[in-house]
Amino acid sequence: METTLRGVGVSHGVAIGEVRHMGTAVLEPPAKQIPAEDAAREQGRARQAVEAVAADLTARGNLAGGEAQAVLEAQAMMAQDPELLADVERRIAVGSSAERAVYDAFASYRELLANAGEYLAGRVADLDDVRNRIVARLLGVPMPGVPDSDEPYVLVARDLAPADTALLDPTLVLGFVTEEGGPTSHSAILARALGVPAVVALPGAGELAEGTLIAVDGSTGEIFLNPSEEKKAQLEAAAARRKAALAASTGPGATADGHKVPLLANIGGPSDVAAAVEAGAEGVGLFRTEFLFLDDSENAPSEEKQVTAYRQVLEAFPEGRVVVRVLDAGADKPLDFLTPADEPNPALGVRGLRTLLDHPAVLRTQLTALAKAGEGLPVHLEVMAPMVADRADAKAFADACREAGLRAKVGVMVEIPSAALRARSVLREVEFLSLGTNDLAQYTFAADRQVGAVSRLQDPWQPALLDLVALAAEAAQAEGKSCGVCGEAASDPLLACVLTGLGVTSLSMGAASLPYVRASLAKFTLAQCERAAAAARAADSAEDARNAAQAVLSGE
């Protein structure tokens, strides 16, 4: 009998296959006492396991590249956290085995994060994965992770750690379904980069029986259990129509009546450039520079190293637009030489531009490197600051850019509601805005972007979020300046039309989403997009907003 379940669709496409569950988590090690004379040996075992797991995570990151590399390197840093290791060694000194000490130390830290009610609570899944890998190595048992299979399947898990998602084989993993997560979680972002259909935040996903045939629609978030032949044919036909539409849609982004909407790519480093170029990106709307700073958490990269990396990306888009975000450190991206270790709530503390203004030498080096990287190139270089709250922040960043001799356009990210509400004031200091809808939603609704329980508040269709986007876009238009979106909202083809109707001037997304958005925009006029935007803003919920926009664009 066919049954339909609904989660949150986070990566387009349809997958039909049998359920395979993620390998089970490591069992809790026994709480046995060790002789005092064995403590030094056990401490050595713990250190070796930690270093081996960190090296494995780093190696996986190097293989994956791009955004995945930054995520996995952050996990490696988590494994090597000196405070955690010190706690492990203290527990061993009073009689715990290495594996039990690791389990208990991580459990203590996990409880702090899970109960904090703050941005770092979203790191619990990553922390659990690191713990499981270290304990598995110490116990000499297989690592938890993606199941072995010779046949393609749909992967089902409570949550997917970045280390697993980053190296999924799309020829075997047709799609995946998770019980936790949200539309802007690490796994969702990496799924879109891989082009793997995915649904997250599905209640009871773990109860799906192994071997059950399911169909996953990553666009609608629907899961069909034991789909009929008719349903499979419908889904496959819809997928074929989408594929044909994608193939027919080429060239610059524009609505059906010729209103230009540049379609740009979000990239995490030079390794992402090839996919962006192949997908027809007209430039880069978000060049995340954190990858350069994660190699060494205790020292900033040299100016020369930065120049080389930036120039690789700039050279790939001659005559195109490349928007570089300066270092966004803090919260879930701590760096020992920059971010405070004792902040009670890092998400609301010193992060982003605040961190850089506290360390002007780091900011100046990065801006100088960007200036040198762009010398002699025809590219349109633009530089923006993360986590800008008001005009004073914008002025401080613009002044720093001028002092560094940077001739690029200067802009800011709108990720804090205050910046959207006072966008016109902010624009008196800078030349453009870029809306980071992931964090803007998080701060608007007090809803951690990594926590599945609040995923409905992270839905970019929330009318309150659309209101903030409209405020920023209207301010930019009044000032004669541009206002783009570089958050995950831009990767939704239907929402891309609504954002265009709200007055957004460019859209930036993962390379895999570009063809879908290009094809969607080409089907509708600007006037239709504006009517869809008005209908969405008039709704009272995300679901109603989506349905209202869909009704307008389908002519209902």
Side-chain angles (χ1 to χ4, degrees), residues 381-401:
L381 174 62
E382 302 183 14
V383 180
M384 63 184 180
M387 302 303 296
V388 166
D390 57 16
R391 183 175 179 176
D393 278 352
K395 183 179 187 305
F397 181 64
D399 288 347
C401 290

Side-chain angles (χ1 to χ4, degrees), residues 137-339:
R137 184 169 288 276
L138 287 166
L139 291 174
V141 300
M143 291 285 176
V146 178
D148 290 328
S149 176
D150 295 329
E151 298 296 325
Y153 59 92
V154 176
L155 180 63
V156 177
R158 180 173 180 80
D159 203 352
L160 284 172
D164 299 314
T165 317
L167 296 181
L168 289 178
D169 181 354
T171 63
L172 282 177
V173 181
L174 303 172
F176 68 75
V177 179
T178 67
E179 190 162 342
E180 295 293 329
T184 60
S185 64
H186 283 150
S187 292
I189 293 171
L190 294 176
R192 285 189 284 270
L194 288 167
V196 177
V199 172
V200 302
L202 179 73
E207 298 172 12
L208 293 173
E210 186 86 3
T212 302
L213 182 69
I214 66 172
V216 178
D217 190 329
S219 300
T220 65
E222 292 175 303
I223 306 292
F224 303 95
L225 275 60
N226 299 307
S228 64
E229 292 301 318
E230 181 182 5
K231 173 59 70 175
K232 286 192 285 185
Q234 289 174 354
L235 291 170
E236 288 168 349
R241 287 195 298 272
R242 284 197 289 263
K243 186 174 181 180
L246 296 181
S249 178
T250 58
T255 59
D257 56 340
H259 174 72
K260 293 183 179 179
V261 187
L263 301 181
L264 313 171
N266 294 344
I267 67 171
S271 60
D272 290 341
V273 167
V277 171
E278 185 179 352
E282 297 169 59
V284 174
L286 173 60
F287 178 8
R288 302 179 178 97
T289 57
E290 288 75 39
F291 75 101
L292 280 167
F293 293 79
L294 291 171
D295 288 341
D296 182 352
S297 69
E298 297 182 358
N299 300 284
S302 67
E303 181 182 298
E304 293 74 19
K305 181 178 180 180
Q306 293 188 55
V307 170
T308 299
Y310 301 149
R311 198 168 178 90
Q312 277 183 270
V313 175
L314 297 179
E315 288 176 337
F317 295 95
E319 305 294 340
R321 178 187 180 201
V322 175
V323 184
V324 181
R325 181 181 71 189
V326 294
L327 175 65
D328 184 12
D332 64 332
K333 291 170 284 200
L335 294 171
D336 293 345
F337 68 96
L338 282 182
T339 48

